[in-house]
Amino acid sequence: MSSEIGSTPRLGGLGGLGGAGSIDKNATEPETGLSRGTLMAAFWVAAALSIALPRIPYGRNILYPFSLLGVWAHEMGHGLTALLTGGGFEKLELYRGLGGVAYHTGAGRFTGAMVSAGGLMGPAIFGGLIIIFGSRSKTAKWVLAVLSVLILVSVALWIRNAFGFGAMLAIGVVLAPIAFYAPPVARILLAQFMGIQFVLSSWGTLDYMFTNDIVIDGKAVPGDSGAIEDALFLPYWFWGGLTAFLSAVILLGSFWFAWIRPRRVDPALAPS
């Protein structure tokens, strides 16, 4: 996965409820009747699937669309950061082998480092937000709907190769009816699973995080960590390690914020 500035390529790798100080697992959502224990169980099922699927036959085939979404988040991280720092986001391509490249313009030394960091941290940031806002049935619906819209917008505006266009169009179209018509607990389970997969996709490219240079078309060019080293200071492995650490913090922090943090009664979950 990579980003390109002009003709120079850069590769990218891919709230407890109840009284104060306690969590009432019997509190229920008035709209669905789902208990807090059921909602939290959806997170743990999603976490268990994330651990088990890569280790069972055909598990990685099941994970493939979610892995592709991780690549998409990485490349969108590059492109959107380029736009936020005053540059341009020309296009992105996604490949069948879970690679990708984002083409952007206008990045200077420091803004280029930000664009590289945006790709490394993009999946973790996307994932953390999905875990937090996808932890209630009322909001999980809109999380999935917004994600579907973002995917379809990226297809219309930026994805320009045939495989990437077709694959992401299919994912975006399939996600839309799930957001509005799937059972509430299924929406929460899917949102939590997708959020976990987004964050873990950063860890799935640990070797890339700790790579200084990569080879594209027979030419050695800086990877994202190497590009940050060139633009700022400290070695590439420091920036790779920092990215991995921050991804872990986002996963743990989003779980804490979504499922542990709240100490006051949530109006969406009234005691049964």
Side-chain angles (χ1 to χ4, degrees), residues 56-132:
I56 64 175
Y58 305 105
R60 293 191 180 275
N61 298 85
I62 298 172
L63 286 174
Y64 183 82
F66 303 96
S67 300
L68 187 62
L69 277 170
V71 180
W72 170 82
H74 179 99
E75 304 307 339
M76 288 293 290
H78 283 310
L80 295 179
T81 305
L83 288 175
L84 291 173
T85 55
F89 184 9
E90 295 184 339
K91 65 177 180 177
L92 71 83
E93 298 176 354
L94 300 172
Y95 308 126
R96 194 180 303 272
L98 297 179
V101 59
Y103 297 82
H104 59 89
T105 59
R109 176 182 175 186
F110 295 106
T111 56
M114 294 176 65
V115 170
S116 295
L120 290 173
M121 295 303 303
I125 293 172
F126 271 110
L129 291 173
I130 291 172
I131 290 172
I132 292 171

Side-chain angles (χ1 to χ4, degrees), residues 1-39:
M1 286 60 68
S2 62
S3 64
E4 288 201 2
I5 304 176
S7 60
T8 304
R10 285 199 201 155
L11 196 70
L14 278 176
L17 301 170
S22 66
I23 296 175
D24 183 2
K25 292 186 177 180
N26 294 318
T28 59
E29 285 190 332
E31 298 90 348
T32 65
L34 294 173
S35 70
R36 174 168 179 75
T38 300
L39 298 179

